[in-house]
Amino acid sequence: MATAVRKVYRQERLVPRGEPSKFLYEKDEPKNRRLDQKQGRHRSSDLDKELRYLNDPLKLAQHVVRLLDRDKALEAVEIVRAASRSMMCTVSWNHIIDDAMNRGKVTAAVKTYNEMKKRAQPPDSHTYTTLLRGLAAIKYPQNQSRALSIYSSMFAENSPVKPTIIHTNAMLKVCAYQGDIDCLFGLAAKLPTKGRGAPDNWTYTTILNAIRNQLWMFLQENSENAIEQRERKRQEALLQGRRIWGDIVERWRSGEVSVDEQLVCSMGRLLLLGSRPEDFDDVLSLVEQTMGIPRQIPRIGHPDRVTHHRPVGAKFLEEGGEDASIYDTDHGEDTDNIVSSTPSTVDSLAYSQAPGSEFNPLPASYRSFAKPSRNTLSLVLDACVHMRLSTVSNTYRKILTSPDGEYRIRPDIENLHMYLRILRQSRSSRNAVTLVESMIADPPLGESVQVKTFRIAMSCCVRDRANPAILGHATKLLRMMINTLEEPDFKVSEMFVEIIAQKEIPWRDTLEGLREVEKIIRNFRSLLAYGSFSFTTPESISGETATREEAATYNAEADLDGYAGASETRKLGNIRPSKNHPRRGINEASRRMFNAFATCVVGAYDRLLNNACEEISIREKRECQANKHRLQAWVTRDANRREEMRSAEKSIVMRQLSDLRMEPWEFGWESRRLAIVDAEQEERKEGAL
């Protein structure tokens, strides 16, 4: 059986007498099992011959790395054990510990560290760094106690390595990852203010991220608590972060610490969790202070700053549900240069200095600016989204991304998604469609365009439905989605139907829009019949040329129910699945989304037939009625199918309960149903094997 060699330590004569064998991966092999030569065991004579050519620690370390890369940890451990008798090979032991940590084997890594010391191989600074960073990367309840034990041992008098700020930062990450803020601040309080071991920019970044993560978790877990309690917790965290930033600025002015982009964005992300407009506004002051990018709008409180605005929510609906209600409503007021003047609900938290003064620009003699990148662009755009500053956000975007500017940042897909949200707030559907078109035309960005991109852009069109040209923008966006995505999204299509079904849209334009939608419906029916495939033209199938007969045959098969306009079947998905385009089934979530979409289309047909009953021709009326009836029949059949499936599952559960002599109310119906269904699926899988 061609599998990797079991990664275990071998109990052999290389281990000192009386010392138990150490297993690198205990769960892979029992402790008393011996591996024979067929499984890759190196005999003592073979090791001695190999070590003749590995008499240098550097060559040994390079050989160990090659073995670990080829998944041969057993051979690496045996060679390092044998070499430990004649030379110092701490670096090789470090590679083994690092490999165990990368594989998530914390216990094995700690045991290797202890064995390393027993074999008179003193750990160096990199050994402790590897252990602490590995413990920080794996969330396990015992990791913090292990990390504290290792970190405390470095302060012993006989310790060969004294802790540096690198080790402290790794230990702080362990505490932050485990959510122990008290321990984190306890360790940070013991750090000296100057000299060796003083906090650096990574130390402050870790602390600020820990505060932000703790606040975020509290807000998520206590979403139903009283507003006053949530606001108090929020303001306490922000006050703590502001005080830390004041200390950072003082040390920055004296040249004791450097400020980089990660530190700036950590503080900025913490401010964005606030609820006051002053917190969002301070993000722009923070960027001006640390990066030298001037504010493009006066501060809150300045006479030129308009301050009448309602508060804005701070929660995103990510790719699962982009909605036009994010950060905005539909009242249509101007959204530039306005912020909320809602006072904070926490009056007992007083600042030692004027709020926002810790972000005042420094004199030119004290400044060494951080270099902005995509993270900074995302931070600034996010702050503008919270404050509804569409014009200001566009100015910042031009400053940071202009090819002729100083920074020349190339935005990624998330930066453009944030800018699309700003365009949605300002109801700029034309600019949103233009932006999506430029994203698709750009090769690197075109490959990263996703469903969320079109959902945000189409929701911008929904908000801009009063625009006379909105139908053209929405239709263009729908066609770009069909030609770009492998499978068109029903949520985007449903929003498109919502736009074309308005009373203000002429019935002829509504009919043309429904014909565009029918192409997506035909494709879904084809997807049900034949599975998933790439949306390419019929002329190209897996890099080969398709004949007209093959394309026509597939078009006829895909149009099973004889939809109107079958001869005009789109060049979208009209391809027979091949080896390079395997078939995939449709899950229940896609069926439910299609049902909601089909119901929306049926309503659009009803409104069309009612509004244009006198003007529409007989042929067009019959076309609309036929398509409407087919969709209604599909929704009805699918509902009956789901009901039959549920009845079958219920009968299975009742039969199982009767065998157990239990009543349904004696056991959780839903959990029992799921448990039985999972058990039957496992039985079918085992039978198939």
Side-chain angles (χ1 to χ4, degrees), residues 21 51 69 94 97 113 141 154 197 268 285 310 313 318 361 422 468 533 544 549 584 648:
S21 64
L51 287 175
D69 290 340
N94 291 345
I97 294 173
Y113 161 71
M154 300 179 67
S285 300
R310 59 190 182 281
E318 290 301 338
I422 297 174
F533 41 81
E544 301 176 357
E549 291 76 10
R584 295 202 309 266

Side-chain angles (χ1 to χ4, degrees), residues 11 50 74 76 107 154 185 217 224 274 331 346 416 424 496 501 516 552 590-591 614 638 652 658:
Q11 185 178 5
E50 194 167 1
L74 173 63
T107 303
M154 300 179 67
F185 280 110
M217 294 299 297
E224 299 180 357
H331 298 298
V346 182
L416 297 175
R424 179 176 58 195
F496 176 76
E516 291 288 336
S590 298
R591 285 180 176 270
E614 298 180 357
D638 195 66
I652 294 174
S658 62

Side-chain angles (χ1 to χ4, degrees), residues 595-648:
N595 286 346
F597 166 61
T599 304
C600 183
V601 175
V602 169
Y605 274 119
D606 286 334
R607 287 190 291 271
L608 173 63
L609 294 174
N610 293 334
N611 297 335
C613 58
E614 298 180 357
E615 303 176 13
I616 190 170
S617 65
I618 297 177
R619 183 183 63 82
E620 293 171 337
K621 186 175 182 179
R622 289 177 179 175
E623 174 189 345
C624 295
Q625 289 176 345
N627 293 338
K628 170 192 168 184
H629 293 159
R630 288 188 181 91
L631 281 178
Q632 286 179 326
W634 157 262
V635 174
T636 303
R637 288 196 303 268
D638 195 66
N640 294 337
R641 180 190 60 84
R642 290 200 307 270
E643 186 62 30
E644 291 176 359
M645 291 177 58
R646 182 168 179 81
S647 299

Side-chain angles (χ1 to χ4, degrees), residues 477-517:
L477 188 63
L478 183 72
R479 291 173 178 171
M480 285 192 292
M481 180 195 70
I482 291 174
N483 295 326
T484 303
L485 297 182
E486 182 181 359
E487 298 174 5
D489 182 61
F490 298 128
K491 182 67 175 177
V492 177
S493 305
E494 185 177 347
M495 287 188 285
F496 176 76
V497 174
E498 180 183 348
I499 293 172
I500 64 176
Q502 300 178 83
K503 294 182 180 180
E504 296 79 7
I505 302 295
W507 71 268
R508 178 66 63 184
D509 295 337
T510 302
L511 180 59
E512 293 298 327
L514 288 173
R515 285 172 177 169
E516 291 288 336
V517 171

